[in-house]
Amino acid sequence: MHKMTIDDVDFKGKRVLLRVDYNVPMEQGEITDDTRIRATLPTIKKLLNDGASLVIISHLGRPSGKVMKELSLRPVAKRLAELLEKNVEFLQNCVGKDITKRTKSLKPGEIVMLENLRFHPGEKANDENFSAQLAKHGDIYVNDAFAVCHRAHASVVGIPKILSPACAGYLIEKEIKYLGILLEDPPQPFIAIIGGAKVSTKIGVLENLLPRVDKLLIGGGMSFTFFSSLGLEIGKSLVEKEALTTAMKIWVKSEEKGGKMMLPVDVLVAESLDEDSPVKTVEYDRIPKNLMGVDIGQSTIQLYQGTILEAKTVFLNGPMGVFEVEKFSEGTKTILESMAELAQGGDIAVVGGGDSAAAVHKFNLADEMTHVSTGGGASLEFMEGKELPGIAALSDA
Ligand code: AMP
């Protein structure tokens, strides 16, 4: 990693302005999953052990630049305090005289959390004045919010222009390490598995990975756009009509590279996405007009599993089917289980963020993977080979 990390800096007596991603799911003021808070504990503990005081900043939801009571970070501060078994003082704004007065008086070991950054339009607009006000809260900037690193927002790229050094926390360091291996030096054979609903959101990833991988396995809803582009009947399956030409071009490119891309050889079909809908397995070119593909079939599972288990590096982004419905989840579950097996044997299995990460957690396989990315859009853009503004903004090592 060519960027400074928290292991490169002396934090003794310093006020650290720490950007985290505490955009946790909430229902009626209660946090329903605190994974994102727990994920930052190693960075927080390291900074406190080193003698820093902390000013924690984050966004929550989409308040569109206005104060929305239900999107306050107050419950998150409470949960962090419970997890750390330490006092976390919550301040009712993230900028302003009173807030700055308090953050300037912090003593080593003290922690404050500021209110939702996105209550101010300056956050998303990357307003210079807003960044300058935020920067007053710290001596050193630490970013541990990988999930927002693809956004040029004030707290992501504005503050590090003002505060130096600006360094990566452990979460970001781990993301760059493992996603970086995939693009730079993956042990061979390297297999990518791309699924999910749409081809259009993953064109960049497919194109960037195709020359790098030994095999590219396709699953999920996007398979049907590929099938349709090849002139096959797909019944009522999901299809992106506007992506048919692109899908065809990617397929042709893959054929020119020796047929690296593999499409499902059979499909689980149902009448609807309803849990009670009867299902059956059909070959890929026998999808009935009145049914829709909801998961990969057994032969595909076996074919893909065999390919995965022969690999040394596997990356997955996107589920193999509608995994949220138990009956349609077997493909996603078994493919993830094979990846976990690979990782347990010492090889590399990395899962891209978003829905794929949700699937890994649902099947309790997160701890068995080499790495599960915390960023949906950020990990996609990284895998497209794009430079993430939030990473680029950090100080060079
Ligand atoms: P993405 O965000 O593009 O990775 O897409 C994830 C979503 O794709 C999940 O919510 C899945 O339910 C959905 N999905 C996967 N396979 C299918 C399918 N065969 N038909 C419809 N939706 C699907």
Side-chain angles (χ1 to χ4, degrees):
M1 163 141 171
H2 312 296
K3 293 292 178 181
M4 215 179 239
T5 77
I6 50 175
D7 284 329
D8 301 321
V9 179
D10 181 6
F11 290 102
K12 195 160 188 247
K14 302 287 187 194
R15 293 174 310 142
V16 173
L17 184 53
L18 174 63
R19 174 54 156 116
V20 291
D21 171 26
Y22 285 167
N23 187 24
V24 291
M26 308 255 284
E27 261 168 41
Q28 287 159 357
E30 295 288 326
I31 298 164
T32 53
D33 180 355
D34 64 3
T35 309
R36 288 177 184 210
I37 307 175
R38 289 177 188 273
T40 62
L41 297 182
T43 292
I44 290 179
K45 285 182 181 167
K46 143 88 183 163
L47 296 171
L48 292 174
N49 279 342
D50 281 6
S53 57
L54 297 184
V55 178
I56 300 179
I57 50 175
S58 178
H59 71 283
L60 176 63
R62 295 180 173 173
S64 306
K66 290 189 202 85
V67 177
M68 287 176 71
K69 239 181 158 186
E70 62 275 26
L71 292 178
S72 169
L73 279 166
R74 190 184 284 278
V76 178
K78 190 166 162 259
R79 186 81 193 98
L80 177 64
E82 285 161 10
L83 291 170
L84 284 172
E85 296 179 355
K86 273 181 185 301
N87 187 35
V88 176
E89 189 181 331
F90 180 72
L91 303 184
Q92 288 185 24
N93 204 340
C94 60
V95 288
K97 261 195 196 147
D98 293 348
I99 309 296
T100 312
K101 195 172 161 205
R102 176 64 189 113
T103 56
K104 290 227 164 163
S105 70
L106 281 172
K107 299 197 181 61
E110 285 189 320
I111 311 167
V112 296
M113 190 187 295
L114 308 187
E115 184 54 288
N116 195 342
L117 292 162
R118 291 193 189 165
F119 283 177
H120 293 264
E123 166 64 357
K124 278 185 137 182
N126 189 16
D127 178 77
E128 272 181 35
N129 181 37
F130 184 66
S131 299
Q133 288 190 65
L134 289 174
K136 285 183 190 166
H137 300 314
D139 305 311
I140 297 175
Y141 171 76
V142 174
N143 187 352
D144 217 12
F146 182 72
V148 289
C149 281
H150 60 315
R151 305 281 186 214
H153 293 171
S155 67
V156 182
V157 300
I159 301 172
K161 277 200 187 125
I162 304 166
L163 281 189
S164 176
C167 43
Y170 289 142
L171 260 186
I172 288 196
E173 187 185 12
K174 192 166 179 242
E175 294 278 4
I176 297 177
K177 177 179 169 190
Y178 286 109
L179 297 179
I181 288 175
L182 299 177
L183 293 185
E184 279 159 29
D185 195 16
Q188 307 284 335
F190 173 26
I191 307 294
I193 309 164
I194 307 292
K198 295 180 170 180
V199 180
S200 59
T201 53
K202 307 214 172 144
I203 296 166
V205 175
L206 290 166
E207 285 182 339
N208 195 34
L209 287 181
L210 198 55
R212 300 168 194 270
V213 295
D214 294 282
K215 288 274 175 237
L216 186 58
L217 315 185
I218 302 292
M222 71 159 69
S223 321
F224 305 103
T225 300
F226 279 106
F227 286 147
S228 186
S229 79
L230 297 171
L232 294 167
E233 171 64 53
I234 56 159
K236 290 197 296 177
S237 307
L238 192 71
V239 63
E240 263 185 296
K241 292 224 162 68
E242 57 291 354
L244 286 173
T245 314
T246 311
M248 172 60 96
K249 280 187 189 158
I250 295 173
W251 178 258
V252 169
K253 234 187 236 172
S254 154
E255 288 300 289
E256 285 166 6
K257 293 196 185 299
K260 284 184 177 187
M261 221 161 113
M262 292 166 73
L263 289 169
V265 293
D266 60 351
V267 178
L268 189 76
V269 288
E271 279 171 23
S272 72
L273 293 180
D274 200 277
E275 180 89 62
D276 302 325
S277 179
V279 291
K280 63 176 178 179
T281 303
V282 297
E283 285 176 31
Y284 72 98
D285 55 355
R286 293 276 185 279
I287 300 176
K289 273 200 164 70
N290 61 330
L291 300 181
M292 61 173 72
V294 289
D295 196 4
I296 53 175
Q298 281 300 331
S299 302
T300 309
I301 290 177
Q302 278 171 24
L303 182 69
Y304 284 9
Q305 276 184 320
T307 313
I308 291 167
L309 293 173
E310 278 172 18
K312 290 255 169 278
T313 311
V314 177
F315 169 69
L316 175 140
N317 185 298
M320 298 292 96
V322 187
F323 74 96
E324 296 90 339
V325 180
E326 172 86 35
K327 232 178 173 175
F328 313 148
S329 67
E330 197 186 341
T332 305
K333 183 164 178 262
T334 46
I335 293 302
L336 288 172
E337 279 169 353
S338 298
M339 287 180 67
E341 193 180 325
L342 194 81
Q344 291 302 302
D347 294 314
I348 299 176
V350 177
V351 178
D355 277 316
S356 323
V360 180
H361 287 289
K362 180 179 164 133
F363 303 127
N364 281 325
L365 292 167
D367 293 340
E368 293 175 39
M369 298 293 176
T370 313
H371 180 60
V372 180
S373 180
T374 50
S379 74
L380 262 185
E381 288 198 18
F382 192 101
M383 294 307 289
E384 284 172 14
K386 287 187 187 156
E387 183 181 65
L388 304 186
I391 307 288
L394 299 175
S395 310
D396 291 328

